[in-house]
């Protein structure tokens, strides 16, 4: 499908989704978020896709929700249209892993979008922030909740109250991103990581994603029980037999998603 605000390419079992509104530093308007939800649904249903990478430009992953689009809205309009609610919920329904490859600004909704992905790789020029306080509002796509879980209350509170940006080194130090790489290496590294994930058994990849995400949604005891049940159930797969046999026979496994 052709999109107006995204460029989507599928190669080597990886879908690369580029946010493409350069005139507005990839600000997230309703069209972009609607198209992103559609592209993720398509990728999730496509047998030729086993991992997804979302990226922006070198200057901006996304500079936030589109301020022009929002500026004249009333609270009733925002509430009745469930502004960003529907799109973000559909993004979170994606079962295949999503890597955010962030260069430049990831601000407001851009930071929130990156945090809704499964993990964030960033370039050394990345800047993260929740500057909504400067606009007389607060974060609206999960920033107050997710940033707090990533980096802890003190840093999250300071960022939400002052609107200051966090650079790549601070983002790595505080656990917001998994790794920082030089700008020129960001996309090659994100795609290589996605291809590595794509080469695993999809059964255990989806199970791992569900189990790690459970850590955000439940108590430690229930989360560990959920993990153990999935762990036990994976012993019914051919891929478990193949993975362990390959290790013992000192060869590469041939996973077949069974
Ligand atoms: N919405 C709409 N347009 C935006 C935008 C946004 N969030 N961010 C940047 N743009 C537009 C600018 O208006 C400008 O367009 P024009 O050329 O037509 O004027 C263009 O992108 C380039 O931006 P700048 O000239 O400002 O570029 P800069 O390099 O000087 O500054 C920046 C970059 C620091 C990121 C600055 O653009 C900025 O502060 N942007 C807004 C960041 C922000 O407040 N984000 C939060 C939005 S609210 C939100 O996200 C709510 C939520 O949680 C759901």
């Amino acid at each position: 499908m052709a999109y107006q605000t995204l460029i989507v390419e599928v190669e080597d079992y990886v879908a690369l989704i580029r946010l493409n509104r350069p005139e507005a530093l990839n600000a997230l308007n309703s069209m972009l978020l609607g198209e992103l939800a559609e592209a993720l649904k398509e990728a999730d249903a496509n047998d030729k896709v086993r991992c997804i990478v979302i990226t922006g430009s070198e200057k901006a992953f996304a500079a936030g929700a589109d301020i022009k689009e929002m500026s004249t809205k009333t609270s009733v309009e925002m509430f009745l249209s469930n502004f960003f609610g529907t799109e973000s919920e559909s993004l979170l329904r994606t079962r295949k892993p999503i890597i955010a490859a962030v260069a430049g600004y990831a601000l407001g909704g851009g930071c929130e979008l990156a945090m809704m992905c499964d993990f964030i790789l960033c370039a050394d020029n990345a800047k993260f922030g929740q500057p909504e306080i400067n606009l007389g509002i607060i974060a609206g796509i999960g920033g107050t909740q997710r940033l707090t879980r990533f980096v802890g209350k003190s840093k999250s509170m300071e960022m939400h109250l002052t609107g200051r940006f966090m650079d790549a080194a601070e983002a790595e130090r505080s656990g917001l991103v998994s790794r920082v790489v030089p700008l020129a290496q960001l996309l090659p590294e994100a795609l290589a990581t996605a291809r590595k994930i794509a080469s695993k058994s999809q059964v255990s990849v989806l199970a791992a994603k569900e189990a790690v995400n459970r850590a955000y949604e439940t108590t430690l005891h229930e989360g560990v029980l959920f993990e153990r049940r999935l762990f036990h159930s994976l012993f019914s797969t051919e891929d478990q037999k193949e993975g362990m046999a390959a290790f013992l026979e000192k060869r590469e496994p041939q996973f077949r998603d069974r």
Side-chain angles (χ1 to χ4, degrees), residues 23-25 27 59 63-67 105 107-109 112 132 135 139-141:
E23 72 285 2
L25 300 183
K59 181 162 185 200
D66 191 305
I67 300 168
Y105 296 111
L107 304 177
E112 293 167 301
E132 290 90 344
L135 301 168
I141 326 180

Side-chain angles (χ1 to χ4, degrees), residues 103-144:
Y105 296 111
L107 304 177
C111 185
E112 293 167 301
L113 171 61
M115 290 190 291
M116 279 192 281
C117 297
D118 293 309
F119 62 94
I120 306 173
L121 287 178
C122 81
D124 48 13
N125 74 340
K127 291 208 182 325
F128 298 88
Q130 298 285 164
E132 290 90 344
I133 200 84
N134 299 326
L135 301 168
I137 56 168
I138 66 168
I141 326 180
T144 60

Side-chain angles (χ1 to χ4, degrees), residues 202-218:
Q202 204 176 28
V203 187
S204 43
V205 164
L206 298 191
K209 171 167 169 163
E210 282 188 20
V212 173
N213 280 335
R214 220 17 100 100
Y216 278 107
E217 308 294 346
T218 190

Side-chain angles (χ1 to χ4, degrees), residues 59-100:
K59 181 162 185 200
F61 177 72
D66 191 305
I67 300 168
K68 279 185 201 131
E69 184 183 54
M70 291 185 298
S71 61
T72 58
K73 298 251 188 235
T74 66
S75 59
V76 171
E77 286 168 339
M78 296 294 268
F79 178 64
L80 289 181
S81 65
N82 193 23
F83 207 78
F84 293 155
T86 314
E87 297 87 348
S88 55
E89 278 155 24
S90 84
L91 188 147
L92 292 168
R93 275 198 294 274
T94 310
R95 295 190 73 207
K96 292 174 185 168
I98 310 175
I99 303 172

